[in-house]
Amino acid sequence: LTKSINVIGPVAISFFVVMTDSTACSISLEGRNLWIVKSLPIGARDVFLSKLLVNLTLTVPATLLNVTVLVFILKPDVLQTVFFYLVPLSYAFFTAVFGLAINLAFPNFNWTNEITVIKQSAAMLIAVFGSMGSIAVPIIAIVATQFKYAVPITAATILVVTAASAVMYRNIMTKGVKTFEAF
């Protein structure tokens, strides 16, 4: 049982990371006051970075602390220990960037209560379920192969999630800036 937990654990822990997505509603939360942010003497890239860094400030320290405790308790081998850190951290970056990209695509500025944007917006729904789906794929693949290919699947997950994060980040910092300025 411990071996199975060590194999699937890094991806499973990421489930909790993707549930902490503050960027999927961060642009929409500006609401009718977005003009204030846009009138500040800072660029859209700096606004985006601040929103990404708020999310990462929430997820990265908590992930590092929780993974360290799990590694101490489960005592996985060296490769699994590396996976325990890299998989959730790659998902932390993915979730932050994916949420911001989705919120730029589906903003909601016409709200009367913040809860509407946080709990009932299309951007939040797409970001959370999309991120959860991205975790389901490697878990299903690992279980379907009866844990035989867990190492390459986990390594591929890190690479794919990191590459997707980089592509989305670049897209946000180019096309996303134009979208933000058009709001």
Side-chain angles (χ1 to χ4, degrees), residues 23-29 98-111 116-118 120-128 176 179-180 183:
T23 57
C25 61
S26 62
I27 301 292
S28 295
L29 279 174
F98 182 58
L100 188 57
I102 294 298
N103 195 213
L104 284 169
F106 299 99
N108 178 7
F109 299 119
N110 300 319
W111 47 267
T116 304
V117 174
I118 296 169
Q120 300 171 351
S121 68
M124 202 66 178
L125 181 78
I126 294 167
V128 170
T179 302
F180 182 78
F183 289 148

Side-chain angles (χ1 to χ4, degrees), residues 28-47:
S28 295
L29 279 174
E30 302 296 340
R32 293 181 295 269
N33 297 322
L34 182 64
W35 68 272
I36 296 172
V37 174
K38 291 174 71 173
S39 68
L40 294 172
I42 59 173
R45 287 182 181 92
D46 292 328
V47 172

Side-chain angles (χ1 to χ4, degrees), residues 48-116:
F48 295 162
L49 283 174
S50 69
K51 293 182 182 304
L52 291 171
L53 289 174
V54 166
N55 187 275
L56 294 173
T57 300
L58 295 171
T59 56
V60 171
T63 299
L64 292 174
L65 178 64
N66 291 325
V67 167
T68 301
V69 169
L70 280 172
V71 165
F72 179 74
I73 292 169
L74 296 174
K75 297 176 182 26
D77 62 34
V78 174
L79 181 61
Q80 287 302 323
T81 300
V82 170
F83 284 164
F84 262 103
Y85 283 98
L86 290 183
V87 174
L89 289 175
S90 64
Y91 270 106
F93 287 98
F94 173 80
T95 301
V97 176
F98 182 58
L100 188 57
I102 294 298
N103 195 213
L104 284 169
F106 299 99
N108 178 7
F109 299 119
N110 300 319
W111 47 267
T112 55
N113 187 345
E114 293 87 0
I115 299 301
T116 304

